[in-house]
Amino acid sequence: MKVKHNLLLLTIFFVLFISCTRQEIVWSPGVAFPKENIKIGVIHPNEIFSDSLFDQAHYEGTLEMQRIIGLGDNQIIRKTNIFSGDPIASEGAIRDSIAEGANLIIAMSWGYMNVCERLAAEFPGVVFAHATGTRHNDRNFANYSIRLYQARYLSGIVAGLKTQTNRIGFVAAMDIRNSEVTSSVNAFAMGVASVNPDARVYVQVTHSWYDPMGETNAANALIAAGCDVITSHANTPAAQMAAQRAGVWAIGYNADMSAVAPEAIISSVVLNWGVLYTSFVQNIVNGTFIPQTHFYGLAEGAIDITPLARGLAPEGAKEAVLAARNRMLYEGFNIFDGVIETNDGRFIGEIGGTLSDEIILSGINWYYRTVIEL
């Protein structure tokens, strides 16, 4: 009995000793956070190695961040196929990540925004980074966005010079109420108009970020309407593949789509999420994280278009794209500059002014004058 009593006392002492000597590492604003203590919960809306090039681009971005920061695979908790339109599933995936030790959350879809905002308030010691959102708090919740409109404008130049029918199709995941999509449509149309004022951009909306069949049907409808260049703002290459089957041309999005539609893809708008995620995690390590909206674009290497396909690129496109890129990088050209005419006869902006990134991200609910919604 005495032996058991001594063993019990020894066990209690050992537990208390461990509890008292173990130091919990909790993130706090403005304090450096050792990278070896970082554990990141990464939330994907789809499977990584599916036909969602959106998820693939984000996945590659996190791998780039891991390599640059120097994080092991055991410091990444990856949740896939978490439908962003399901708040219960989204919340469950984030809570599971935190329960598994995550002190940083990277949420990779606009649809996770409300859940992230709520859970950030509940878990002040966890940092939340939300891609493409519009909200943040004053402590531990930031959002990160890419200046999509810069590369969209460049790709519009390519499409405007390529079209022979002066009808260009745009498969849009969301309608005019979603500024991320609408600003991309408008910037693309403005690029088209800069080299081909007679061309029109026709928009077909799928009302889904991920709908390969819907994207295919939308592309086919645009092609039937006479569009001979097709692009999209959606997660899969279905629209571009439909363009190849129909014998017309295409502009890719999210990643280089030349492998899936080599006979159609002239160029692709490519997003480098690694730039954003590396900056986010490095700021956590340095203690310089700022909970606000962060924008990255051409200058930071977060977005660009791929080299034009030999044999498919229209004459003069390479030179026109280079000139427009230089205007953006070195001459203060912001695309949404001055007074802009909408397709319903209104005028947006003012002489000598430019729309801010915040407005472009969340306040463009109108179409440019050359855009027609089918």
Side-chain angles (χ1 to χ4, degrees):
M1 184 67 68
K2 186 175 181 180
V3 173
K4 290 183 178 179
H5 179 72
N6 288 341
L7 285 174
L8 179 60
L9 289 176
L10 184 61
T11 301
I12 293 172
F13 171 79
F14 180 76
V15 171
L16 290 174
F17 175 79
I18 293 297
S19 298
C20 291
T21 56
R22 183 177 59 195
Q23 185 176 0
E24 296 282 342
I25 304 297
V26 178
W27 175 84
S28 297
V31 178
F33 198 76
K35 68 179 182 181
E36 57 268 22
N37 294 320
I38 286 175
K39 203 156 197 178
I40 306 175
V42 180
I43 316 299
H44 288 269
N46 305 290
E47 295 294 343
I48 297 167
F49 297 107
S50 64
D51 52 2
S52 172
L53 294 187
F54 174 87
D55 289 83
Q56 184 67 28
H58 279 280
Y59 173 69
E60 292 173 356
T62 60
L63 294 184
E64 179 180 330
M65 174 272 295
Q66 277 187 256
R67 178 181 57 80
I68 294 173
I69 302 295
L71 302 182
D73 290 343
N74 64 333
Q75 293 178 270
I76 305 295
I77 302 167
R78 205 174 290 278
K79 306 292 184 180
T80 63
N81 206 24
I82 309 301
F83 178 46
S84 60
D86 183 348
I88 296 176
S90 304
E91 180 173 342
I94 294 173
R95 286 189 181 277
D96 286 348
S97 297
I98 294 172
E100 293 170 37
N103 40 41
L104 277 63
I105 296 292
I106 293 177
M108 296 178 166
S109 174
W110 186 89
Y112 298 137
M113 181 165 57
N114 293 343
V115 171
C116 283
E117 183 178 42
R118 181 160 45 80
L119 292 182
E122 182 178 339
F123 295 97
V126 177
V127 189
F128 289 74
H130 179 237
T132 74
T134 59
R135 297 179 190 170
H136 57 85
N137 64 18
D138 59 0
R139 176 185 170 89
N140 64 326
F141 178 35
N143 62 75
Y144 291 75
S145 290
I146 293 178
R147 294 186 174 99
L148 301 175
Y149 56 91
Q150 293 178 325
R152 287 297 196 183
Y153 185 91
L154 298 179
S155 67
I157 290 173
V158 178
L161 291 173
K162 184 65 176 180
T163 182
Q164 296 176 359
T165 64
N166 282 338
R167 289 172 171 246
I168 299 169
F170 199 117
V171 176
M174 296 294 160
D175 62 22
I176 199 170
R177 294 168 294 181
N178 185 286
S179 188
E180 176 195 323
V181 178
T182 306
S183 63
S184 289
V185 172
N186 288 341
F188 178 78
M190 293 165 82
V192 170
S194 72
V195 295
N196 186 349
D198 295 327
R200 295 294 179 265
V201 175
Y202 292 80
V203 176
Q204 185 82 21
V205 180
T206 65
H207 300 285
S208 174
W209 295 108
Y210 180 89
D211 182 2
M213 183 58 69
E215 293 157 32
T216 298
N217 292 339
N220 287 337
L222 291 165
I223 294 165
C227 296
D228 61 351
V229 182
I230 300 294
T231 193
S232 68
H233 191 111
N235 287 2
T236 86
Q240 288 79 3
M241 294 168 71
Q244 176 165 288
R245 287 192 295 270
V248 300
W249 302 291
I251 304 290
Y253 177 61
N254 276 317
D256 186 351
M257 290 186 176
S258 58
V260 295
E263 298 170 18
I265 296 294
I266 311 168
S267 179
S268 295
V269 172
V270 289
L271 286 63
N272 180 8
W273 292 101
V275 171
L276 282 71
Y277 296 141
T278 301
S279 175
F280 164 59
V281 177
Q282 191 62 60
N283 284 331
I284 296 296
V285 172
N286 296 342
T288 54
F289 168 78
I290 301 174
Q292 65 182 26
T293 300
H294 299 264
F295 293 97
Y296 297 80
L298 276 174
E300 295 81 15
I303 193 165
D304 209 332
I305 65 172
T306 59
L308 306 186
R310 186 175 301 176
L312 294 181
E315 183 178 353
K318 182 178 180 180
E319 295 76 13
V321 167
L322 179 60
R325 177 187 279 109
N326 287 339
R327 286 179 65 202
M328 293 181 207
L329 291 175
Y330 309 117
E331 300 175 22
F333 174 52
N334 300 301
I335 300 173
F336 292 98
D337 292 337
V339 178
I340 303 165
E341 185 178 356
T342 70
N343 68 354
D344 58 2
R346 292 179 292 144
F347 293 91
I348 306 295
E350 57 187 30
I351 297 174
T354 189
L355 300 187
S356 68
D357 279 312
E358 288 78 8
I359 291 176
I360 295 169
L361 180 64
S362 60
I364 292 187
N365 305 118
W366 44 267
Y367 282 134
Y368 184 61
R369 61 178 179 81
T370 60
V371 175
I372 300 168
E373 186 173 7
L374 290 183

